[in-house]
């Protein structure tokens, strides 16, 4: 059974660094074609991809946020960690981690965590 | 960067209706397109990948088509549980960029 679950603070202050952990089970990041990504959703807004770790040590980031983001994976612990620096109230939203799989030809997020709401406020 | 647009932004239809959503990419993306359903307060769910292939367990009333830059998502025989926001999504084949469309909110009367 494949599961993912996000954990981390629900409230951060402006300028602080956010650290979120995705704990997953039922798959291995060393398997070809698999990765874990982070997607966020501001209240009432669309989904926004943030970062992806692929096969443990290959990372990619949303270009506009690349300077603020870091994603790392520990396959033995079954965890993926996202850090985002210089948090701002506009970063308030629900943060999802999701398994990425190259299902056919198109990389897709086929399993998702329940999401964690992060509020940025002083 | 590839941009994705969707239309309409929202629609309301009755049970049993056929509804169609379009997604347009700013350039040719062959068939590198997925569709997701997100119900209120829930995580998204993958429905269709490679533009037209239903993911496992997805009801056959959902379908997708298209290639190049123009894509269509259809629900044939709308059900009350189909009330949700639907997103198209593209990723380049080197995993360097995932782009979601702005979403289409579907309300079943």
């Amino acid at each position: 059974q494949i599961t993912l679950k996000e954990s981390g603070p629900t409230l951060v202050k402006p300028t602080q660094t956010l650290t979120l952990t995705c704990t997953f089970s039922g798959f291995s990041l060393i398997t070809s074609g698999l990765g874990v990504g982070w997607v966020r959703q501001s209240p009432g807004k669309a989904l926004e991809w943030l970062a992806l770790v692929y096969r443990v040590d290959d990372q990619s980031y949303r270009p506009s946020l690349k300077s603020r983001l870091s994603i790392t994976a520990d396959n033995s612990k079954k965890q993926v960690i996202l850090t985002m620096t210089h948090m701002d109230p506009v970063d308030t939203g629900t943060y999802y981690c999701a398994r990425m799989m190259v299902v056919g030809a198109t990389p897709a997020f086929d399993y998702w965590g329940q999401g964690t709401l992060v509020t940025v406020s002083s | 960067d590839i941009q994705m647009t969707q239309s309409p932004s929202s629609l309301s239809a009755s049970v049993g209706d056929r509804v169609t959503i379009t997604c347009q990419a700013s350039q040719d993306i062959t068939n590198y397109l997925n569709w997701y359903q997100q119900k209120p307060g829930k995580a998204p769910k993958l429905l269709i990948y490679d533009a037209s292939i239903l993911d496992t367990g997805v009801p056959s009333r959902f379908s997708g088509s298209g290639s190049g830059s123009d894509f269509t998502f259809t629900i044939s025989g709308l059900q009350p549980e189909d009330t949700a926001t639907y997103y198209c999504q593209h990723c380049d084949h080197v995993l360097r960029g995932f782009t979601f469309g702005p979403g289409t909110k579907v309300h079943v009367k």
Side-chain angles (χ1 to χ4, degrees):
Chain A
Q1 182 187 7
I2 294 168
T3 65
L4 302 99
K5 187 172 184 179
E6 306 87 353
S7 59
T10 58
L11 178 66
V12 296
K13 294 185 181 342
T15 75
Q16 287 187 336
T17 294
L18 171 68
T19 299
L20 293 174
T21 300
C22 176
T23 302
F24 61 89
S25 65
F27 66 96
S28 171
L29 270 179
I30 63 174
T31 301
S32 179
L34 294 184
V36 170
W38 287 91
V39 176
R40 75 176 176 183
Q41 188 170 37
S42 300
K45 302 295 186 183
L47 302 169
E48 181 179 51
W49 170 72
L50 299 177
L52 174 81
V53 60
Y54 177 63
R55 294 199 68 185
V56 181
D57 59 0
D58 187 6
Q59 299 89 18
S60 57
Y61 300 97
R62 186 178 191 83
S64 61
L65 294 172
K66 187 175 181 179
S67 63
R68 298 175 53 205
L69 293 170
S70 174
I71 188 169
T72 58
D74 185 332
N75 193 58
S76 63
K77 292 184 179 178
K78 301 292 190 187
Q79 290 184 334
V80 171
I81 295 173
L82 179 77
T83 60
M84 179 180 282
T85 61
H86 302 104
M87 292 293 285
D88 183 272
V90 301
D91 297 313
T92 293
T94 298
Y95 287 71
Y96 296 98
C97 67
R99 188 181 83 158
M100 187 282 302
M101 181 173 180
V102 182
V103 183
T106 315
F109 294 112
D110 61 345
Y111 288 88
W112 294 68
Q114 63 190 22
T116 185
L117 177 62
V118 178
T119 301
V120 184
S121 175
S122 55
Chain B
D1 291 357
I2 295 175
Q3 307 300 318
M4 310 298 293
T5 57
Q6 285 182 238
S7 62
S9 57
S10 64
L11 65 90
S12 182
S14 300
V15 173
D17 283 354
R18 176 186 174 101
V19 301
T20 298
I21 298 167
T22 63
C23 175
Q24 187 169 56
S26 58
Q27 62 189 70
D28 188 337
I29 59 171
T30 60
N31 69 332
Y32 287 9
L33 188 93
N34 304 319
W35 289 96
Y36 297 83
Q37 174 194 64
Q38 186 180 32
K39 296 185 178 181
K42 300 295 186 182
K45 174 186 176 183
L46 177 67
L47 296 182
I48 290 172
Y49 62 93
D50 288 355
S52 62
I53 303 175
L54 262 60
D55 199 22
T56 305
V58 174
S60 58
R61 64 180 181 274
F62 297 101
S63 64
S65 64
S67 65
S69 60
D70 295 302
F71 302 86
T72 300
F73 173 83
T74 300
I75 309 174
S76 301
L78 199 63
Q79 298 299 306
E81 60 267 29
D82 299 335
T83 290
T85 300
Y86 295 85
Y87 294 92
C88 60
Q89 174 252 314
H90 165 70
C91 179
D92 61 70
H93 65 286
V94 291
L95 305 179
R96 288 294 173 241
F98 292 79
T99 305
F100 288 92
T104 296
K105 194 170 186 177
V106 173
H107 172 69
V108 182
K109 298 177 197 174

